[in-house]
């Protein structure tokens, strides 16, 4: 097989990457896999205000989240960025607001925040986009230290705050959130991670360090809290239904959450990353006696609660995907430095084993702290890859550590033919040689070329917009799934496709990463195959419809409605 010049450079770069002391990306000047889009080109001039003060209040260190969403339904991904705001420890000297940027369809964006009415008003943390009222328009849920906000989409480029009417204000300190249909009634419910109890006046209980300045407290000094599950009543209101369940009984310090199906029973489960206490795996057991919904918290017996030595770690970013193509969802957790990150392979019996060492991820992350991350097929070859956004939580770590730094590099892992993830950061482009205080990470195709781009929220800095250049030459099919009987976003759907002799499947999970929300479209990469022989969509309950398609066009997005309609 004859290689193109770009493919030859990539192959040579992989070989060179094993040579000590040589940076192949610079040596061969291979085309970057991702390129940084500067603010001067994108028009995104917003900067996160972390409210950093000499007192070092902990909420300053944890934001921000970000999102890709098509808020105006024009087929192009827009961008939402979460900012801080007034709180009981900070009063902004000048107005601070979130940002909503409309995609101009030419690589640039326009700030429409004020017109849209989504400026915020509290010390924001994360964002979850989802069509909770099944009207075909994405709504926004913003978590915060203070009070959450639910913005309903008005279908005219504006939103309205319906938080109090909906009953989802959720005071306290909330972080990541996820929309999903836990009871399969066709309406999206809402899970909200709760972090530590940061109430009262004693917010600096960790004291001073040896250099005589306040530093950010390790969360273990604060009390854990219970997260929240809200049931969608179908009339614009929600009922908090976690009381009396394992979700309320499990006190944690939740930072990341992904909604997925770990046991293939058709019910969506929840994996929650906790900071300095064990992680939680809430398995959805369905309706029990008396109508109460049953949840089992099984992280300990499943092998995902603690490290292999039995210690709690500082879990932050999470995700789920079928990494090895066996039809079962595997999990991921990013931790703080010296704890290493975990890839949990599904044993198909509600247990997992950590294979991060075998994949090289453990060694590569030993001195890093991970926040936003995502499993996705960045080069459209059909195999799942991994993108990690890193940064230490303590801005003073450089003063008392020789090896750990506050600003850290991005990491990119490619899944090769051996089924393992390989660190390709050295050949991924100049942005991977830079250092950031990265936090949230979202993936989405902002230029509609079928290659998923990356948006990274930076604490106290401007966001990173990374354009994907890695998928050139590989074919793909993009799907916007639209449920009718099931939830409109089709969360929980299973997609199976055959191309070039390979059969692959994907579960449409939701959430994942940290504080962030992703492009709801699914991009199916098929490499050099020239057609998709067959595509099946198994719609989630209450539908459970199975639609089959053949002879579909490639390298474009299709909107597929439940019961087989392509529009």
């Amino acid at each position: 097989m004859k290689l193109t010049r770009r493919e030859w450079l990539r192959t040579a770069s992989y070989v060179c990457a094993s040579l000590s002391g040589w940076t192949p990306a610079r040596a061969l000047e291979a085309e970057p896999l991702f390129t940084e889009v500067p603010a001067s080109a994108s028009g995104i001039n917003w900067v996160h205000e972390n409210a950093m003060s000499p007192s070092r209040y902990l909420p300053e260190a944890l934001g921000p989240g970000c999102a890709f969403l098509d808020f105006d339904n024009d087929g192009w991904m827009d961008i939402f960025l979460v900012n801080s705001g007034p709180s009981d420890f900070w009063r902004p000297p000048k107005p601070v607001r979130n940002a909503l940027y409309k995609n101009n369809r030419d690589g640039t964006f326009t700030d429409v925040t004020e017109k849209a009415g989504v400026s915020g008003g509290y010390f924001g943390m994360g964002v979850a986009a989802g069509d909770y009222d099944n009207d075909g328009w994405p709504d926004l849920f913003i978590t915060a230290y203070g009070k959450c906000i639910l913005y309903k989409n008005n279908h005219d480029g504006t939103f309205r705050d319906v938080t109090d009417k909906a009953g989802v204000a959720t005071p306290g300190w909330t972080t990541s959130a996820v929309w999903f249909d836990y009871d399969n009634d066709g309406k999206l419910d809402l899970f909200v991670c709760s972090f530590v109890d940061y109430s009262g006046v004693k917010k600096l209980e960790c004291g001073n360090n040896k250099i005589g300045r306040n530093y950010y407290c390790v969360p273990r000094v604060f009390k854990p809290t219970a997260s929240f599950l809200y049931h969608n009543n179908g009339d614009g209101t929600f009922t908090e239904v976690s009381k009396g369940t394992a979700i309320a009984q499990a006190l944690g310090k939740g930072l990341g959450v992904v909604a997925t199906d770990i046991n293939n029973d058709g019910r969506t489960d929840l994996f929650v990353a906790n900071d300095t206490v064990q992680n939680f795996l809430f398995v959805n057991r369905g309706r029990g006696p008396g109508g109460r919904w049953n949840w089992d918290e099984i992280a300990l017996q499943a092998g995902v609660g603690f490290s292999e030595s039995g210690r709690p770690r500082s879990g932050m970013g999470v995700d789920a995907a079928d990494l090895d193509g066996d039809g079962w969802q595997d999990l991921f957790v990013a931790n703080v430095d010296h704890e290493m990150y975990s890839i949990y392979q599904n044993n198909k019996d509600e247990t997992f084993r950590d294979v991060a060492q075998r994949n090289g991820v453990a060694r590569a992350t030993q001195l890093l702290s991970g926040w936003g991350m995502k499993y996705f097929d960045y080069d459209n070859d059909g195999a799942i890859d991994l993108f990690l956004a890193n940064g230490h939580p303590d801005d003073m770590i450089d003063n008392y550590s020789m090896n750990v730094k506050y600003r850290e590099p991005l990491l990119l892992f490619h899944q090769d033919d051996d089924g393992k993830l390989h660190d390709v950061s050295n050949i991924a482009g100049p942005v991977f040689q830079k250092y950031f205080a990265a936090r949230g990470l979202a993936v989405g195709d902002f230029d509609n070329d079928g290659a998923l781009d990356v948006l990274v929220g930076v604490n106290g800095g401007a966001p990173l917009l990374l354009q994907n250049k890695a998928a050139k030459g590989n074919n793909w099919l993009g799907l916007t799934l639209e449920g009718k009987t099931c939830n409109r976003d089709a969360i929980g759907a299973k997609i199976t496709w055959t191309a070039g002799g390979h059969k692959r499947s994907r579960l449409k999970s939701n959430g994942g990463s940290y504080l962030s929300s992703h492009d709801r479209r699914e991009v199916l990469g098929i490499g050099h195959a020239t057609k998709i022989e067959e595509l099946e969509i198994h719609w989630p309950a209450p539908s459970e419809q199975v639609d089959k398609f053949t002879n579909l066009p490639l390298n474009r997005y299709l909107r597929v409605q439940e019961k087989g309609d392509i529009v």
Side-chain angles (χ1 to χ4, degrees), residues 255-482:
L255 287 179
V257 60
V258 62
T260 190
D261 183 359
I262 64 116
N263 53 11
N264 285 342
D265 65 355
R267 293 187 293 264
T268 306
D269 312 303
L270 294 164
F271 183 47
V272 179
N274 284 308
D275 197 346
T276 69
V277 297
Q278 76 155 81
N279 300 320
F280 296 145
L281 180 56
F282 296 113
V283 175
N284 187 340
R285 301 300 188 192
R287 196 179 302 278
R292 179 181 293 276
W293 212 262
N294 285 337
W295 296 89
D296 278 349
E297 199 294 289
I298 67 165
L300 178 61
Q301 56 265 43
V304 298
F306 298 92
S307 70
E308 290 184 335
S309 61
R311 297 180 179 180
R313 292 186 283 188
S314 297
M316 295 179 286
V318 297
D319 203 19
D322 181 7
L323 185 61
D324 51 7
D326 65 354
W328 296 74
Q329 294 291 292
D330 308 300
L331 304 176
F332 186 94
V333 182
N335 300 300
V336 82
D337 63 278
H338 291 91
E339 293 182 345
M340 296 179 289
Y341 306 174
S342 291
I343 297 176
Y344 289 117
Q345 187 175 41
N346 197 320
N347 294 327
K348 308 177 185 179
D349 60 359
E350 296 191 356
T351 69
F352 296 78
R353 62 183 179 276
D354 192 342
V355 295
Q357 290 280 3
R358 190 181 75 189
N359 282 271
V361 172
R363 183 176 64 178
T365 60
Q366 186 172 5
L367 298 177
L368 301 179
S369 299
W371 303 84
M373 49 78 53
K374 202 77 180 84
Y375 278 135
F376 70 106
D377 178 12
Y378 73 78
D379 58 352
N380 283 342
D381 66 352
I384 297 295
D385 311 304
L386 174 65
F387 198 116
L388 299 173
N390 309 291
H392 200 274
D394 184 358
D395 69 305
M396 288 190 288
I397 189 69
D398 302 54
N399 295 321
Y400 49 84
S401 174
M402 294 291 292
N403 300 316
V404 179
K405 303 299 179 183
Y406 175 58
R407 292 178 176 83
E408 298 177 346
L410 306 169
L411 291 181
L412 183 66
F413 291 85
H414 183 265
Q415 185 174 169
D416 288 350
D417 291 340
D418 60 3
K420 296 180 182 180
L421 291 171
H422 295 265
D423 187 352
V424 296
S425 308
N426 278 342
I427 63 169
V431 72
F432 291 84
Q433 309 302 321
K434 296 183 179 182
Y435 298 85
F436 307 95
R439 295 297 186 262
L441 179 150
V443 299
D445 182 9
F446 78 85
D447 51 4
N448 278 349
D449 65 352
L452 289 171
D453 310 299
V454 174
L455 178 67
V456 179
V458 176
N459 185 262
L464 288 171
L465 180 60
L466 305 179
Q467 190 173 31
N468 187 336
K469 302 290 188 179
K472 292 179 180 177
N474 283 340
N475 293 315
W476 57 278
L477 175 63
L479 302 176
T480 300
L481 301 187
E482 189 176 294

Side-chain angles (χ1 to χ4, degrees), residues 109 165 188 211-212 229 248 356 450 519 560:
F109 295 80
K165 175 184 176 183
L188 290 183
I211 62 175
L229 177 64
D519 189 338
V560 182

Side-chain angles (χ1 to χ4, degrees), residues 500-521:
H502 294 282
K503 186 174 183 178
R504 302 184 188 275
S505 66
R506 182 179 302 170
L507 177 69
K508 188 171 174 57
S509 301
N510 203 29
S513 190
Y514 169 72
L515 302 181
S516 300
S517 193
H518 314 282
D519 189 338
R520 65 175 291 256
R521 299 174 297 182

Side-chain angles (χ1 to χ4, degrees), residues 152-166:
K152 175 175 168 50
N153 196 318
N154 292 328
H155 313 172
D156 59 1
T158 69
F159 293 77
R160 68 180 181 274
D161 184 342
V162 296
T163 312
D164 293 334
K165 175 184 176 183

Side-chain angles (χ1 to χ4, degrees), residues 55-59 61-62 173 195-196 198 202-208 214-222 275-276 393-394 396 400:
S55 297
R56 294 300 193 273
Y57 294 106
L58 189 55
L62 266 63
W173 187 352
F195 195 45
V196 300
Y198 205 65
K202 292 184 178 181
K203 303 182 187 299
L204 307 173
E205 297 177 8
C206 51
N208 295 335
N214 288 321
Y215 60 95
Y216 292 117
C217 299
V218 176
R220 69 171 56 93
V221 306
F222 299 111
D275 197 346
T276 69
D394 184 358
M396 288 190 288
Y400 49 84

